[in-house]
Amino acid sequence: FELSRPRLNPPPLPRDHTHPMYHERCCLMYKDHNVLLRGLDQGKILTKTVEIKSGLPVEVENLMGALELPEQDTLVQRCILKSHLFDAMQVKLPKIHDPERPAWVFPRVYGIAAHRRNNLMSSKLIQLCEFACGNTSAAISSRALVQDAVVFVPFEKDGDLIQMELTVDFMLCGATPLKPYADAAEVQKTQDIELPDLYPIKHTITLETEHIYEIKNVFPVRQGSRYPHIHTAVINYDETQVKNIYETPVTEEQVLGRTLLKSFATAAAQAQQRYGTNVKDLPEPVTVQCVQTDGRLFHFAVLQLNTLDLDGTEGKKNIFWTLPRISLFESCMYVKGKPSLEGYNAEVFNRLLAFYSSGLHL
C-alpha cells in the first residue's frame, strides 16, 4: 500500500500584478487598527460632516435619569470589578515599552487581555440597560444585539476610491429606525457651515493604499429581518491594536475621529443596503448612536447621515453630535491584595442608559 503523503499548504500568492484581485486603480483603506492623522477634523472632511451644536441632541439629554435600577451604582461597580479584576482568564499581556528607556526590558505581566476586558465591560453594561428597561418589555422584545458585526463600505470622494472595513463589537438593532434628531430646516442650514481646513494636508493622509482588494458592500443584518435598523453601535478601543502609522501615541482627537468614522461606516452600510449601493441623496436620513470605550473612558456621539454625495464642500452635509470622553472610574486595581475601585462616575451609565432607551415609549 502507499503511504499517505502529508498535504502541503499551497504557497501564498505573490502580492503583485499577477494576483487575481490586483487592480490598476488603488483603493484607500480604513480598517480597525487605523487612526486619522488630524483626527476629528480630518474625519469631518472625509465624511462631509459638521456639528450644528455642542453636546448631544436635546432628546437624548432629556432621557438622562428617566430610568433607574434599584442599587444601580452598586451593580455598575460590580460589573467594573468583574471585568477588570475578577475574570479568571489571565494571559501574558503585551510587552511594556518606555520611550525614555527603549533598551530596558520589563518583566512580563499576566492579566486580562484588553479585548476580553472591553467585551466583558460592554456586554455587562448593556445587560444592565436591558434590566432597567424591563418594564417596557414589549419595546425591548423588538430589539436584537449583534456581536462582532462586520461592515464594508466603498465610496468615492473627490476622485479617490475609499473602502472602510470595520468591526462593530456590539450592534443594537431594532424593528423601527431611530428618528432624525435634526429636522429638514436644520439639515438645510448645514450648507452654510464650512468644513475644517487641513491645508496643505490632504484628507486621505494615513489611509492605507492597496492595489489588491475586493469592493464589497456588507451590512451584517439581512434585509427583511425582524430587526433591520441600526440603533446603537458600541465599539471597543484597544490601545495595543489601534496605532499611528508613524508610531506616535494616539491622541484624543484621533480617538474622537475613530468614533465618527465607525458611526459613518455603520450608517452608510445601512443606507446602501436600504436604498441601493449607488445612492447619493438619501430619501430619509439614517441616524445611529455610537459609544466607544476602552473599558474606562467612554465617548458618546450621534451621527445623522443625510447624504452620501461626499464630493466637494458644497451642498447638504451630515450632522455629528459629540461629547468629550468621560471616565467611568479613576482606578481599578488590587491594593495590598484587596480589590480597590476609586473615582466611580455615575454619569457614564446614565448616559448609556439614555442611549439604550432612546426610541422606547417610556
Side-chain angles (χ1 to χ4, degrees), residues 152-185:
F152 283 63
V153 180
F155 60 92
E156 297 271 352
K157 169 71 174 176
D158 296 333
D160 293 313
L161 175 62
I162 302 173
Q163 179 159 285
M164 296 181 174
E165 301 179 1
L166 300 171
T167 302
V168 180
D169 298 278
F170 295 92
M171 179 184 287
L172 183 65
C173 298
T176 56
L178 272 176
K179 294 181 179 179
Y181 289 118
D183 58 25

Side-chain angles (χ1 to χ4, degrees), residues 230-280:
I230 177 67
H231 183 279
T232 301
V234 180
I235 56 178
N236 294 334
Y237 170 71
D238 184 351
E239 62 182 7
T240 65
Q241 300 296 325
V242 181
K243 298 181 182 295
N244 269 304
I245 62 173
Y246 304 114
E247 300 182 2
T248 54
V250 177
T251 65
E252 184 75 9
E253 278 293 306
Q254 289 176 326
V255 175
L256 304 188
R258 187 170 183 263
T259 306
L260 171 57
L261 288 197
K262 288 253 187 177
S263 304
F264 173 83
T266 308
Q270 169 91 89
Q272 289 179 347
Q273 182 198 64
R274 193 186 305 176
Y275 303 122
T277 56
N278 297 320
V279 65
K280 293 294 184 181

Side-chain angles (χ1 to χ4, degrees), residues 81-82 84-86 331-342:
L81 291 170
K82 286 181 178 179
H84 288 258
L85 296 181
F86 297 160
S331 67
C332 183
M333 64 182 72
Y334 285 100
V335 178
K336 295 183 179 180
K338 294 183 179 180
S340 173
L341 176 62
E342 299 291 339

Side-chain angles (χ1 to χ4, degrees), residues 59-60 63 67 133 143 172 176-179 181 231-232 287 289 302 351-362:
E59 295 86 345
V60 177
L63 292 172
L67 293 175
C133 299
R143 297 276 182 87
L172 183 65
T176 56
L178 272 176
K179 294 181 179 179
Y181 289 118
H231 183 279
T232 301
T287 305
Q289 301 172 146
V302 178
R351 290 201 174 277
L352 183 62
L353 187 54
F355 266 30
Y356 189 91
S357 59
S358 179
L360 297 180
H361 299 291
L362 303 177

